[in-house]
């Protein structure tokens, strides 16, 4: 990020700034599920709307999860209780 971009970012409100930072991290989006390695097609509209993206701002890590892995995780949480 260059100086001009940083200055423009400071002028934004807090919600706008957070959204801009998250959108910038989408360049780091993986090409497969982070859990099962199932491939992800960014051009498939159904996949784009059904898969889940998790962004960790502190580590700038972007994780991508398929619907099956999300469902398995929800089942495990329900079975074992919330962490």
């Amino acid at each position: 990020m260059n100086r001009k971009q940083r200055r423009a970012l400071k002028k934004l409100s807090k919600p706008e700034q957070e959204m801009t930072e998250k959108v910038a991290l989408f360049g780091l989006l993986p090409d497969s599920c982070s859990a099962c390695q199932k491939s992800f097609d960014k051009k498939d509209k159904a996949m784009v709307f059904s898969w889940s993206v998790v962004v960790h701002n502190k580590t700038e890590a972007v994780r991508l999860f398929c619907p099956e892995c999300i469902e398995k995780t929800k089942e495990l949480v329900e079975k074992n209780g919330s962490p």
Side-chain angles (χ1 to χ4, degrees), residues 12-64:
L12 295 175
S13 66
K14 182 84 171 164
E16 289 174 334
Q17 185 177 3
E18 290 175 359
M19 180 61 81
T20 303
E21 291 171 355
K22 288 181 182 179
V23 169
L25 290 175
F26 263 82
L28 303 174
L29 190 67
D31 294 329
S32 61
C33 177
S34 296
C36 69
Q37 304 306 317
K38 184 177 178 181
S39 68
F40 176 70
D41 182 12
K42 295 177 184 178
K43 295 179 182 178
D44 185 357
K45 191 173 186 177
M47 274 189 171
V48 170
F49 284 109
S50 63
W51 287 47
S52 297
V53 177
V54 177
V55 177
H56 296 281
N57 289 331
K58 292 181 182 178
T59 60
E60 292 189 358
V62 180
R63 306 247 195 291
L64 180 67

Side-chain angles (χ1 to χ4, degrees), residues 1-11 17:
M1 189 179 287
N2 65 30
R3 183 176 169 191
K4 184 178 179 180
Q5 291 170 327
R6 284 193 304 267
R7 285 184 177 177
L9 192 60
K10 285 181 182 180
K11 291 180 182 179
Q17 185 177 3

